[in-house]
C-alpha cells in the first residue's frame, strides 16, 4: 500500500473510533438534562436515581470521548500536513472557538456538576449540567463547521493558492453545517434512546427473572417489595420503566428528526456535491428513479458494472429537488463536467508528489456510498421500529420474561451507533477524490479545492505511517476495552453502584455522593 492509502485508513479508523463515543455523549447528556430537570421540579426520587445511574455511564463515556479526541488531533499534523496548511486559516477560528468556548465550558461545568452534588443549591447544580451539555453541543457544532467547510467551502478568498478567510460568519452559518449539525444531533438522540431502552430492558428483565417483580393472574405487574439488595428496591422499577419508555419516545421522535434534516441535506448535496449524490444512488444515467437494490462489482467505480434490480420511478427526483420525477444528473453525465472544471489528471506540480500527472477518478467508491447511505437509513429505521415495539411490549409496566427479547434489546444498542458511522463513512468517502470539495454555487470561489492525494504529508514513508496506524489502533482498542469494561460494570451494578449512599438511608436533596465522584 502507498503512504496515501495508509494515511486514509488511519484517519478512517481513528475517527470512526472517536465517533463510537461522541453520539452517546451528545445524546445521553440531553436525556439526563431532562431527568434532572424533572427531579428538581417534582422532587420525585425516582428521577434522582436515574440521573445518578445514567450520569455515571455518561461520565465514563465522556472521559473516553475526550481521550479518543485528543489522540485524534495528532494525525492532522503527522499524516496530513499539506491539508493542515491549506485549511489552517479557515479552521483556526472555529477550532479555537471549539477549544475555548465549548470544551472549556463543557469540562468546567461537568466538574461543577460532579462535585456540586449536595454542595450547590439544586437549581444551580442543574444549571451546571445544562451548561455542560449545551457546551458539548457547541463543541460538536464547531467541529462540524470545519468538516462542512471541506464539503462546501464558503467565506474565503484565494491568496497565493491558499484560502484565506474573509467572512467568519459565512463559515459559521454554512448551510451544510446547519443541516449536518441538526442531523448529527438527531442521530445522537437515537443512540441515546436505544441505549436507555436496552439497558433498562435488561434490568426490568432481571427483576422478573429474580422474582422481584411478578405478574398476577390478570397480567398486572406486582412490583416486588424491597429485598435487602441495595438498589433493587421498589423505586428502581420506576427508574427502568420510565427510562425505557422515555428512550423509546426519544428514538422515535429523533428518527423523524433525521428524516427531516436528512432530506434537507440530500437537497444540499444535490447542489453542492452532485457526484456524491449520484454515486450514493448508483445512478449512472440521468433520471429520476430511486434504486432500491442495485448490485455490482464491489470496489468498482465503473458504471458498466452496476445492475439495478429494483427501482421506484420518480422518487430520486423528489429526494434531490422536492419535485416528483425531476431528473437528477447521473454519473456518466456528470463526469465530463468534473473533468472539464478540475482537470483530467492531478496537476503536474511537485506539491502532488508521486501523484502528479496521474489520472483522477471523480467517482467515489460506489458500493461504499450506496450501501453506506442505505445502512444509515435502515439501521435508524430498525431502531425506531424496535422502539415502537418496546412501547407496545411494556404497556403493562414490565418486559416479557423471554431472555431472547432481552438479548435483542441489548444487541439493538449497537444499531444506531452503526447507523451513525455508516452516515459518516458515506459522507467522507463520498467526498473523494477531494479532501476539500469544490463549491459549485455561484458564490463558490474558483480554485478552492484540494485533492486528497495532495493533502498527505510529503516525506512520510509508508512504513512510518503503518507503524503509527498500528500504534494508534492499539491505543484505541485499549480505550475501547476500558470503555466497555467500565460500562458493563456499572450497568450490572444498577442504581446502587452509582449511589452507594442509597443502601443505608434514603437521600435528602441528593447529598453525599462526593466520595465516589472519581471512580
Ligand atoms: Fe471530537 C472530544 C477532536 C470529531 C464531538 N474531540 C474531542 C477532543 C478532541 C477532539 C481533541 C477532546 C477535547 C475537546 O472536547 O475538545 N473531534 C476531534 C477531531 C475530530 C473530531 C480532531 C475530527 C475528526 N468530535 C468530532 C465530531 C463531533 C465531536 C464530528 C460531533 C459531532 N468531540 C466531540 C465532543 C467530545 C469530543 C462531544 C466527544 C466525546 C466527548 O467530548 O466526551 O465534544
Ligand atoms: Fe473525516 C477522512 C470518517 C469527521 C477531516 N474521515 C475520513 C475517512 C473516513 C472519515 C472514513 C477516510 C476517507 C477516505 O480516505 O476515503 N470523519 C469520519 C468520521 C467522522 C469524521 C466517522 C466523525 C468523527 N473528518 C471529520 C471532521 C473533520 C474530518 C470533523 C475535520 C475537522 N476526514 C478528515 C480528513 C480526512 C478524513 C482531513 C483525510 C483525507 C481524506 O479525505 O481521506
Ligand atoms: Fe443521515 C449523513 C440523509 C437517517 C446519521 N444523511 C447524511 C447525508 C444525507 C443523509 C443526505 C449526507 C450529507 C452529505 O454528505 O453532505 N439520513 C438521511 C436521510 C435519512 C437519514 C434521508 C432518513 C431518515 N442518518 C439517518 C439516521 C442516522 C443518520 C437514522 C443515525 C442513526 N447521516 C448520519 C450521520 C451523517 C449522515 C452521522 C454524517 C454527518 C452529516 O450529517 O453529514
Amino acid at each position: 500500500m502507498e503512504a496515501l492509502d495508509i494515511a486514509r485508513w488511519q484517519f478512517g479508523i481513528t475517527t470512526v473510533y472517536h465517533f463510537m463515543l461522541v453520539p452517546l455523549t451528545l445524546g445521553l447528556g440531553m436525556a439526563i438534562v431532562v431527568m434532572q430537570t424533572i427531579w428538581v421540579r417534582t422532587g420525585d426520587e425516582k428521577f434522582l436515581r436515574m440521573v445518578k445511574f445514567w450520569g455515571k455511564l455518561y461520565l465514563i463515556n465522556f472521559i473516553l470521548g475526550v481521550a479518543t479526541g485528543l489522540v485524534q488531533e495528532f494525525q492532522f499534523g503527522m499524516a496530513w500536513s499539506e491539508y493542515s496548511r491549506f485549511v489552517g486559516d479557515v479552521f483556526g477560528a472555529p477550532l479555537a472557538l471549539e477549544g475555548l468556548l465549548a470544551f472549556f465550558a463543557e469540562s468546567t461545568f461537568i466538574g461543577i456538576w460532579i462535585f456540586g452534588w449536595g454542595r450547590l443549591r439544586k437549581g444551580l447544580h442543574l444549571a451546571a449540567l445544562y451548561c455542560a451539555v449545551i457546551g458539548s453541543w457547541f463543541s460538536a457544532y464547531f467541529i462540524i463547521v470545519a468538516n462542512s467547510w471541506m464539503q462546501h467551502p464558503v467565506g474565503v478568498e484565494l491568496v497565493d493558492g491558499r484560502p484565506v478567510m474573509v467572512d467568519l460568519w459565512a463559515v459559521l452559518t454554512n448551510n451544510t453545517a446547519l443541516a449536518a449539525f441538526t442531523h448529527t444531533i438527531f442521530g445522537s438522540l437515537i443512540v441515546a434512546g436505544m441505549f436507555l431502552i436496552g439497558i433498562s430492558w435488561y434490568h426490568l428483565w432481571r427483576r422478573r427473572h429474580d422474582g422481584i417483580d411478578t405478574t398476577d393472574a390478570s397480567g398486572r405487574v406486582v412490583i416486588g417489595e424491597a429485598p435487602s439488595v441495595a438498589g433493587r428496591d421498589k423505586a428502581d422499577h420506576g427508574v427502568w420503566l420510565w427510562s425505557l419508555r422515555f428512550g423509546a419516545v426519544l428514538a422515535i421522535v429523533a428518527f423523524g428528526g433525521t428524516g427531516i434534516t436528512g432530506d434537507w441535506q440530500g437537497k444540499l448535496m444535490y447542489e453542492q456535491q452532485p457526484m456524491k449524490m449520484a454515486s450514493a444512488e448508483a445512478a449512472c444515467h440521468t433520471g429520476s428513479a430511486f434504486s432500491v437494490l442495485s448490485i455490482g462489482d464491489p470496489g468498482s467505480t465503473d458504471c458498466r458494472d452496476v445492475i439495478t434490480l429494483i427501482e421506484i420511478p420518480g422518487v430520486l427526483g423528489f429526494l434531490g429537488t422536492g419535485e416528483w420525477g425531476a431528473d437528477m444528473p447521473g454519473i456518466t453525465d456528470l463526469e465530463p463536467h468534473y473533468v472539464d472544471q478540475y482537470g483530467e489528471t492531478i496537476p503536474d506540480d511537485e506539491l502532488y508528489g508521486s501523484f502528479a500527472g496521474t489520472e483522477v477518478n471523480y467517482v467515489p467508491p460506489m458500493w461504499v456510498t450506496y450501501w453506506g447511505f442505505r445502512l444509515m437509513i435502515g439501521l435508524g429505521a430498525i431502531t425506531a421500529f424496535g422502539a415502537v415495539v418496546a412501547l407496545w411490549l411494556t404497556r403493562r409496566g414490565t418486559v416479557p420474561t423471554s431472555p431472547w427479547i432481552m438479548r435483542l434489546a441489548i444487541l439493538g444498542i449497537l444499531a444506531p451507533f452503526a447507523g451513525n458511522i455508516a452516515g459518516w463513512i458515506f459522507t467522507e468517502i463520498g467526498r473523494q477524490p477531494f479532501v476539500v470539495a469544490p463549491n459549485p454555487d455561484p458564490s463558490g470561489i474558483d480554485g478552492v479545492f484540494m485533492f486528497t492525494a495532495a493533502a498527505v504529508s510529503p516525506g512520510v514513508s509508508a512504513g512510518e505511517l503503518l507503524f503509527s496506524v498500528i500504534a494508534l489502533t492499539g491505543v484505541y482498542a485499549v480505550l475501547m476495552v476500558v470503555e466497555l469494561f467500565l460500562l458493563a460494570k456499572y450497568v450490572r451494578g444498577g442504581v446502587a453502584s452509582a449511589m452507594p449512599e442509597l443502601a443505608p438511608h434514603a437521600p435528602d436533596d441528593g447529598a453525599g455522593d462526593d466520595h465516589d465522584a472519581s471512580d
Side-chain angles (χ1 to χ4, degrees):
M1 260 202 281
E2 306 209 39
L4 171 68
D5 297 314
I6 302 173
R8 290 173 63 179
W9 272 103
Q10 177 184 73
F11 205 102
I13 293 169
T14 53
T15 117
V16 163
Y17 263 122
H18 185 46
F19 215 72
M20 287 177 184
L21 302 154
V22 168
L24 191 60
T25 297
L26 295 171
L28 192 58
M30 189 42 67
I32 298 171
V33 159
V34 172
M35 293 167 183
Q36 191 168 344
T37 306
I38 300 180
W39 176 59
V40 168
R41 306 200 76 186
T42 64
D44 183 344
E45 195 209 297
K46 176 170 85 191
F47 290 95
L48 173 63
R49 291 176 179 231
M50 274 180 226
V51 172
K52 292 274 183 157
F53 175 77
W54 299 113
K56 181 69 101 189
L57 303 184
Y58 173 72
L59 288 178
I60 293 168
N61 187 70
F62 180 88
I63 290 163
L64 282 152
V66 170
T68 53
L70 293 172
V71 178
Q72 176 88 330
E73 212 121 290
F74 291 124
Q75 48 188 330
F76 280 117
M78 198 168 62
W80 301 97
S81 62
E82 289 300 328
Y83 158 84
S84 302
R85 280 230 306 263
F86 188 75
V87 300
D89 190 70
V90 187
F91 282 15
L95 295 187
L97 283 172
E98 204 262 61
L100 280 173
L101 269 167
F103 181 59
F104 180 72
E106 181 182 338
S107 27
T108 308
F109 286 112
I110 280 227
I112 296 177
W113 185 67
I114 296 174
F115 295 107
W117 282 106
R119 297 205 174 90
L120 294 175
R121 275 193 298 115
K122 275 183 176 180
L124 214 57
H125 182 241
L126 176 61
L129 179 63
Y130 269 86
C131 293
V133 171
I134 293 170
S136 71
W137 284 28
F138 267 100
S139 201
Y141 187 73
F142 291 124
I143 193 96
I144 289 209
V145 162
N147 183 268
S148 292
W149 191 85
M150 296 161 53
Q151 315 284 347
H152 182 234
V154 291
V156 293
E157 226 168 54
L158 206 61
V159 178
D160 296 332
R162 249 186 103 217
V164 170
M165 188 160 62
V166 290
D167 187 351
L168 173 62
W169 188 243
V171 172
L172 291 179
T173 57
N174 190 348
N175 53 13
T176 320
L178 294 168
F181 172 71
T182 46
H183 193 67
T184 306
I185 289 290
F186 281 122
S188 303
L189 291 173
I190 303 181
V191 165
M194 194 57 220
F195 192 74
L196 292 171
I197 298 176
I199 291 172
S200 306
W201 196 289
Y202 163 71
H203 277 289
L204 283 172
W205 176 84
R206 216 170 64 164
R207 288 174 68 88
R208 294 202 70 177
H209 181 258
D210 295 349
I212 299 173
D213 300 333
T214 47
T215 41
D216 66 16
S218 62
R220 264 214 345 251
V221 190
V222 182
I223 300 172
E225 291 306 320
S228 54
V229 194
R232 298 179 71 185
D233 52 8
K234 247 182 167 164
D236 287 337
H237 178 271
V239 166
W240 307 124
L241 188 65
W242 196 92
S243 298
L244 192 158
R245 296 179 66 90
F246 172 66
V249 173
L250 191 62
I252 295 165
V253 172
F255 180 65
T258 57
I260 296 166
T261 51
D263 175 62
W264 179 17
Q265 280 188 295
K267 296 191 166 60
L268 291 177
M269 189 166 55
Y270 159 69
E271 294 163 20
Q272 297 171 352
Q273 297 183 69
M275 187 63 98
K276 193 195 272 183
M277 179 85 181
S279 77
E281 295 307 338
C284 284
H285 305 286
T286 297
S288 71
F290 175 83
S291 152
V292 177
L293 183 63
S294 295
I295 52 169
D297 180 7
S300 168
T301 55
D302 189 332
C303 268
R304 277 168 307 196
D305 293 337
V306 175
I307 308 160
T308 300
L309 297 177
I310 311 172
E311 58 180 21
I312 317 175
V315 173
L316 183 57
F318 183 73
L319 287 179
T321 63
E323 197 186 312
W324 200 263
D327 271 345
M328 301 294 291
I331 289 169
T332 41
D333 312 283
L334 284 168
E335 217 169 357
H337 292 285
Y338 275 83
V339 171
D340 250 16
Q341 275 189 298
Y342 313 112
E344 202 167 311
T345 56
I346 292 193
D348 212 350
D349 187 314
E350 60 173 310
L351 179 68
Y352 295 94
S354 59
F355 295 95
T358 56
E359 204 175 317
V360 193
N361 180 357
Y362 288 101
V363 190
M366 224 187 296
W367 70 279
V368 178
T369 49
Y370 182 86
W371 288 110
F373 190 45
R374 277 154 187 76
L375 257 177
M376 165 186 75
I377 297 177
L379 289 167
I382 287 173
T383 310
F385 175 73
V388 173
V389 173
L391 280 179
W392 170 253
L393 290 178
T394 56
R395 70 195 179 284
R396 297 231 171 81
T398 190
V399 297
T401 49
S402 158
W404 291 103
I405 307 183
M406 183 275 289
R407 287 184 193 130
L408 200 62
I410 291 192
L411 197 66
I413 295 175
L414 297 178
F417 277 102
N420 274 295
I421 288 167
W424 273 108
I425 287 181
F426 158 45
T427 301
E428 295 289 276
I429 291 185
R431 159 167 66 62
Q432 306 301 331
F434 300 103
V435 63
V436 174
N439 176 349
D441 303 348
S443 67
I445 309 96
D446 276 344
V448 177
F449 66 85
M450 187 182 218
F451 289 115
T452 305
V456 70
S457 305
V460 179
S461 72
E464 283 164 318
L465 279 167
L466 196 60
F467 174 76
S468 79
V469 177
I470 294 167
L472 284 176
T473 313
V475 171
Y476 276 95
V478 170
L479 291 173
M480 208 43 86
V481 170
V482 171
E483 159 101 353
L484 290 175
F485 172 79
L486 288 176
L487 287 184
K489 175 175 166 206
Y490 283 99
V491 164
R492 274 205 214 94
V495 177
S497 69
M499 290 181 88
E501 77 276 16
L502 257 186
H505 59 89
D508 53 301
D509 211 0
D513 186 45
D514 20 52
H515 52 276
D516 80 323
S518 58
D519 63 23

